[in-house]
Structures are given as C-alpha cells and as structure tokens.
Amino acid sequence: MLRGRLQQARKHPTHPRGNTEKLVNTLGQHPKTTLHHSTTRILRKMVISGIKSSQKLYNIKNYQYTSWYAQKSFKRNGKVYYKVTGNKVSGYVWHGYVTPAISKRISTFKSDSSYIKYLNTDKSQKLSRAVLKYFPNAKVSVDLSRRGAGQFVDNKPITKAMTTSNYKHVINLTALSHDLKTSYGSTYSETILNTLDFPVTTTNAAVAKTVNSILIKNGYTQAKISNLIKQGYKLGIYINGSTGISAGKQGYPWTINTNAGTMNNAALFLAK
C-alpha cells in the first residue's frame, strides 16, 4: 500500500505518450501492492492518464486519501509510472505522487488502549474504522485480535501461529459468507475474509457495508451484536489492507517489506 505525501511545487515529468518502453518491475519483490494518495496541495497536471494516448482521465486531486492497487509499473525516459486501480477508477500515475503506506505489526502493541488508539488514528486503518462503525460500544481486545489474525510465535525450529483456543466462546465472523453470482449466472461464495483481503477497488465505506450485509445475512444484526457485547464478548479486529511494514530505498523506487508476522491479513472475531 502506498499513500500520497505533500508535494511542493516543482517541475513534474511529462506523462508518457505513444508506445511505451518495455515493462519492468519497479516494485521490488511485491509487485501487487496498494497505494495511497493524500496530497493536500495539488499540482496542475497531477493526473491519472491513459498510457497509449496520454489522455487525462482523472485529476488525482479529486481522489485524495484514496487507496490505490498497483498492478504493474514501467519506466519511460527514466521516470517510473504505476498502473493503478482504486475507487472504481484506473489509469497510470507518476510514482512521485504516491508513497508507501506503512502499518505496524500487531505484535508491537502491548495494551488494548494503545491498539485502540492506533485503530482510531492511523492512516493505514481507515478500513478498520469503517468496519468498527458497525460494532458500536464493542470492547476491542488486542489479544483476541492477535489470535484471530494468527500472529506468528517464534518457537524455533518451528514457527507456530497463535489461536483462539484460550477463549471458551468464539465466533469467527471472518468465516461468514454470502453467495454472489458471476456474469455467467453461476454462484460462488465470498467470505468476510475475502471481502477484507481483496485489493482496494472501491471505497472503505463500501467494503464495510458489504461486511455488514454478510453479517446480517448470517443473522448477526446490530441488535444481536449489541446483545453479545452486553454478554461480555470482546471484539478482535485486524485488517492489514495490503500495507507494508517498512519501506527502504533499495531497488527503485522502494523495497517494501510486507511480512506482517500473521497467518491472515484480516480477522474479525467475537469471543469471551
């Protein structure tokens, strides 16, 4: 995942025209990652453009704070461009308009309060906040979040993942699903895990709404969830969102470390 950064007025590269040079991977070992743009000062020609005709499709200033899924990258005249998709639009953008979005390993949090503050304030947790709106008054547990995500515990020579076995009553909401139809008329099952782990192609609010519809489909209405919380159930939530854990300058333009130290990229649990 990448996010935008404040851009000072400067000469920007021209957008590619005509035939492009040979595609080369500039995203290191993780060519499929998500990008963020959060620029507050906009350059006049900051656009997502069509690669063949250099047609300006969208002005990126209208998509501030959008998560972008990078599908490929290439160099043109020494400049790196990404093919990106997000918020129902797609095109090519110069790499300098986005930067890696970095999240924290869940193993670094030592208390519920520090994890809750992170969920409520960090830029990487926008989807978490959108989902949490459907769990009002829930008590978030960092321990349950770790266990639901399957945080790895280093027991050399075998690395094991944490489980929820220490909780007596466990509801794995991430495993709930609903049926969807393909364009050919056949049906397939999509779980909440699939929904949360899917590349960013729509808004966080829309993803959270889909999560809520799956919950309702399986009987977990707002009333039922509120009742479970009153019974003492705690909430475990972890959404990596394809973010990196760190980003270096090795390679060009970044080397992004996506080793989050968990078995799952998303988890949503109720337990007591």
Side-chain angles (χ1 to χ4, degrees), residues 50-70:
I51 193 61
K52 292 184 178 180
S53 65
S54 191
Q55 176 187 3
K56 297 176 183 179
L57 301 178
Y58 307 98
N59 193 326
I60 205 168
K61 73 178 182 180
N62 297 322
Y63 296 91
Q64 296 180 39
Y65 317 110
T66 294
S67 297
W68 300 101
Y69 180 63

Side-chain angles (χ1 to χ4, degrees), residues 25 29 37 39 47 115 128 136 148 157 159 189 223 243:
N25 175 26
Q29 297 180 349
H37 176 272
T39 303
V47 296
Y115 186 55
S128 295
T159 298
S189 181
T243 59

Side-chain angles (χ1 to χ4, degrees), residues 199-262:
V200 180
T201 56
T202 185
T203 64
N204 292 321
V207 174
K209 186 176 180 180
T210 299
V211 169
N212 187 51
S213 69
I214 297 175
L215 291 171
I216 294 173
K217 180 75 174 180
N218 288 271
Y220 289 93
T221 61
Q222 291 280 284
K224 183 172 182 177
I225 290 174
S226 296
N227 187 44
L228 289 170
I229 292 171
K230 289 178 181 178
Q231 293 177 36
Y233 278 80
K234 294 184 178 181
L235 176 66
I237 181 170
Y238 173 76
I239 303 175
N240 175 269
S242 299
T243 59
I245 299 302
S246 63
K249 287 295 182 180
Q250 297 178 2
Y252 188 82
W254 302 291
T255 299
I256 302 175
N257 176 14
T258 58
N259 181 12
T262 59

Side-chain angles (χ1 to χ4, degrees), residues 9-256:
R10 60 181 179 181
K11 184 178 180 181
H12 63 278
T14 58
H15 292 280
R17 298 179 183 274
N19 294 328
T20 63
E21 298 175 2
K22 182 179 180 181
L23 289 174
V24 293
N25 175 26
T26 64
L27 294 176
Q29 297 180 349
H30 307 284
K32 293 184 178 180
T33 187
T34 310
L35 323 179
H36 269 179
H37 176 272
S38 60
T39 303
T40 54
R41 293 180 62 186
I42 306 301
L43 299 181
R44 289 181 60 189
K45 294 185 179 180
M46 190 178 292
V47 296
I48 298 176
S49 57
I51 193 61
K52 292 184 178 180
S53 65
S54 191
Q55 176 187 3
K56 297 176 183 179
L57 301 178
Y58 307 98
N59 193 326
I60 205 168
K61 73 178 182 180
N62 297 322
Y63 296 91
Q64 296 180 39
Y65 317 110
T66 294
S67 297
W68 300 101
Y69 180 63
Q71 298 168 298
K72 64 175 66 174
S73 61
F74 70 95
K75 282 187 178 181
R76 171 87 170 162
N77 297 326
K79 307 298 182 182
V80 179
Y81 296 84
Y82 295 139
K83 180 180 181 180
V84 298
T85 300
N87 201 8
K88 299 182 180 181
V89 302
S90 63
Y92 291 82
V93 65
W94 177 53
H95 84 276
Y97 294 151
V98 288
T99 56
I102 304 301
S103 63
K104 294 182 179 180
R105 284 193 176 94
I106 195 170
S107 59
T108 63
F109 297 96
K110 305 303 181 184
S111 66
D112 291 346
S113 59
S114 63
Y115 186 55
I116 292 170
K117 181 179 179 180
Y118 169 74
L119 292 175
N120 288 334
T121 60
D122 197 84
K123 292 181 180 179
S124 70
Q125 297 303 302
K126 294 174 184 176
L127 180 52
S128 295
R129 290 194 285 276
V131 172
L132 283 169
K133 289 181 179 179
Y134 294 100
F135 293 85
N137 303 318
K139 295 182 178 179
V140 174
S141 165
V142 67
D143 178 72
L144 180 57
S145 300
R146 284 191 186 119
R147 294 178 180 278
Q151 177 187 314
F152 291 128
V153 179
D154 193 7
N155 294 321
K156 295 181 179 180
I158 300 175
T159 298
K160 296 183 179 180
M162 298 176 71
T163 70
T164 57
S165 60
N166 62 323
Y167 289 90
K168 188 174 181 180
H169 303 284
V170 179
I171 304 171
N172 182 2
L173 300 176
T174 331
L176 300 179
S177 65
H178 65 167
D179 291 332
L180 298 175
K181 285 188 176 182
T182 68
S183 58
Y184 300 100
S186 59
T187 60
Y188 67 97
S189 181
E190 180 184 64
T191 66
I192 286 180
L193 176 60
N194 298 148
T195 303
L196 294 175
D197 197 30
F198 198 77
V200 180
T201 56
T202 185
T203 64
N204 292 321
V207 174
K209 186 176 180 180
T210 299
V211 169
N212 187 51
S213 69
I214 297 175
L215 291 171
I216 294 173
K217 180 75 174 180
N218 288 271
Y220 289 93
T221 61
Q222 291 280 284
K224 183 172 182 177
I225 290 174
S226 296
N227 187 44
L228 289 170
I229 292 171
K230 289 178 181 178
Q231 293 177 36
Y233 278 80
K234 294 184 178 181
L235 176 66
I237 181 170
Y238 173 76
I239 303 175
N240 175 269
S242 299
T243 59
I245 299 302
S246 63
K249 287 295 182 180
Q250 297 178 2
Y252 188 82
W254 302 291
T255 299
I256 302 175

